[in-house]
Amino acid sequence: MPHPLGDELTELHVHLGGAVDPAAMWGIAHAQGIRLPTKDYWEFVDLITVNPKRRKSFEDFLELYHWTELIQQSVYAVIGGAYRKANITTLELRYNPLKRNRGGEQDLDHIIMASIRGLDRAALEYPVKAGLIFCLDRTFDLRLNEIVVEKAIQYRKRGVLAIDIAGPKNLDFHYADYATLFKKARKAGLGITVHAGEDEDWRSVDEVMRHLEPDRIGHGVHAAQDPALCKRIAERGIHLEICPSSNLDTKVVRDLDELREFVAVFRKHGVRFSFNTDGPEMLQTTLRDELKLAVRANLVSREELAQCGEWAREASFLLRKSA
């Protein structure tokens, strides 16, 4: 029986901490005995979501993850919700396992295995291909980030597809310091995607390309500031994971006019990209809402949107796994 929402969709950029329904998160937090800063449910919702009428700064947005990272979310619930709400049948979820072990209080392997069990359970109940991406963090030192990569390699045959680097700016963090570690991950068969060109300018994307050789770039919108860089992105076949509502709500993109200009540059230079939510529950959106926004705001035509969907499927690390 066909899905009532229509065509099957692919989503490449979803943070697990931003993808769980607030009501479920509230219940999980209480079940886990986490001391929250409020006992009022609606204040809690405001604490972990972005209200479009009260846009937060990028720094405020990252602060939302402080609480969602502490709460052990259900991968199973996110996959089922993505299928029911948007007919997403190819889904990659990312998170940092070290941010969920509460400073060593919980065993890292137990946390990872819980998410893998969620993948397995969802596979039995929904026609969704799903996998995990482990995020390194710019605020972690090299040794902590090495642990994340080691765990990704250890579980690469259990559903972990790739590694990423995310987190706030850190003056002591340099992409060049991670070149050897990322080569090791790539040699082990992991995909590479890196947050860059989001709250930073085009130079961050250039630095990632020079030192880490990514398959994809998370966000990457400010790469459009440099046409020569866009040509290199296109030549290397690097895919950009654009998150419209996220970039607008966090003010890293000024407005839809600026986003439209960026996307036009990518189209001009043949850069491959797709649209994503970043965190559907946190941003109170769905992938279908993002696709409708892209057409309604003239970021792309309907025909170009279909091409973006095909590019997303081709860029999925799940495709590499099944090859």
Side-chain angles (χ1 to χ4, degrees):
M1 182 176 179
H3 196 290
L5 291 177
D7 294 343
E8 297 179 1
L9 301 180
T10 296
E11 183 155 24
L12 305 179
H13 193 116
V14 185
H15 290 269
L16 180 59
V20 179
D21 180 89
M25 194 91 73
W26 175 257
I28 294 169
H30 281 81
Q32 294 176 354
I34 296 174
R35 185 176 182 180
L36 299 172
T38 178
K39 293 184 179 297
D40 183 89
Y41 171 73
W42 298 111
E43 289 182 0
F44 173 75
V45 171
D46 189 59
L47 185 72
I48 64 167
T49 59
V50 175
N51 186 330
K53 295 180 180 178
R54 299 194 308 276
R55 289 182 174 177
K56 298 178 182 287
S57 68
F58 182 70
E59 291 73 21
D60 290 338
F61 176 67
L62 292 182
E63 275 296 310
L64 299 179
Y65 282 100
H66 170 73
W67 293 106
T68 63
E69 295 282 7
L70 284 177
I71 302 168
Q72 303 301 327
Q73 298 97 357
S74 169
V75 167
Y76 162 77
V78 172
I79 296 171
Y83 175 71
R84 293 190 304 271
K85 295 178 181 179
N87 195 18
I88 293 171
T89 55
T90 301
L91 178 63
E92 298 180 10
L93 296 171
R94 61 188 72 191
Y95 73 97
N96 184 325
L98 276 177
K99 287 193 171 183
R100 285 169 162 71
N101 77 339
R102 300 174 196 163
E105 177 185 320
Q106 297 191 353
D107 182 76
L108 204 56
D109 290 297
H110 279 248
I111 292 169
I112 294 169
M113 285 302 299
S115 62
I116 291 172
R117 285 194 295 272
L119 289 179
D120 292 341
R121 181 183 173 192
L124 290 172
E125 299 182 21
Y126 297 101
V128 180
K129 294 179 181 177
L132 303 172
I133 297 172
F134 282 178
C135 293
L136 287 67
D137 196 280
R138 295 187 186 96
T139 63
F140 284 6
D141 61 29
L142 181 59
R143 180 54 196 145
L144 281 179
N145 280 324
E146 283 177 339
I147 293 172
V148 176
V149 173
E150 288 166 3
K151 290 301 179 183
I153 292 172
Q154 179 182 342
Y155 290 99
R156 70 191 184 280
K157 294 183 179 180
R158 298 296 306 277
V160 179
L161 308 169
I163 56 172
D164 177 21
I165 298 178
K169 291 180 182 178
N170 176 7
L171 294 178
D172 294 326
F173 177 88
H174 305 285
Y175 291 110
D177 296 339
Y178 286 82
T180 300
L181 189 59
F182 271 59
K183 285 181 180 178
K184 178 181 179 181
R186 181 182 292 281
K187 186 176 180 180
L190 292 171
I192 305 293
T193 180
V194 181
H195 279 67
E198 182 183 11
D199 60 318
E200 305 167 300
D201 66 17
W202 64 271
R203 293 175 182 83
S204 63
V205 178
D206 178 65
E207 189 178 354
V208 166
M209 289 177 62
R210 284 189 288 111
H211 297 296
L212 304 184
E213 301 181 18
D215 302 294
R216 301 184 339 218
I217 294 287
H219 299 279
V221 287
H222 288 108
Q225 295 169 330
D226 188 80
L229 176 62
C230 289
K231 291 178 182 178
R232 286 169 48 216
I233 293 172
E235 288 168 359
R236 294 193 190 181
I238 295 171
H239 183 96
L240 303 186
E241 308 156 357
I242 298 177
C243 306
S245 289
S246 174
N247 291 167
L248 292 166
D249 288 342
T250 59
K251 305 176 185 177
V252 299
V253 171
R254 185 178 64 248
D255 52 29
L256 275 171
D257 288 337
E258 183 174 55
L259 185 57
R260 191 178 303 111
E261 292 171 7
F262 287 165
V263 172
V265 173
F266 296 145
R267 296 203 315 268
K268 177 181 178 181
H269 293 289
V271 174
R272 292 187 170 209
F273 61 90
S274 61
F275 298 109
N276 305 268
T277 62
D278 205 8
E281 294 295 340
M282 183 177 286
L283 288 147
Q284 302 181 60
T285 186
T286 69
L287 182 54
R288 289 193 178 272
D289 290 335
E290 297 302 300
L291 302 185
K292 290 175 184 176
L293 171 63
V295 173
R296 187 173 66 248
N298 294 317
L299 303 181
V300 292
S301 66
R302 290 187 179 277
E303 291 74 20
E304 289 167 334
L305 185 67
Q307 178 64 79
C308 289
E310 183 58 33
W311 285 339
R313 284 187 287 276
E314 292 173 0
S316 173
F317 297 126
L318 285 156
L319 184 66
R320 173 187 296 183
K321 180 183 176 183
S322 60

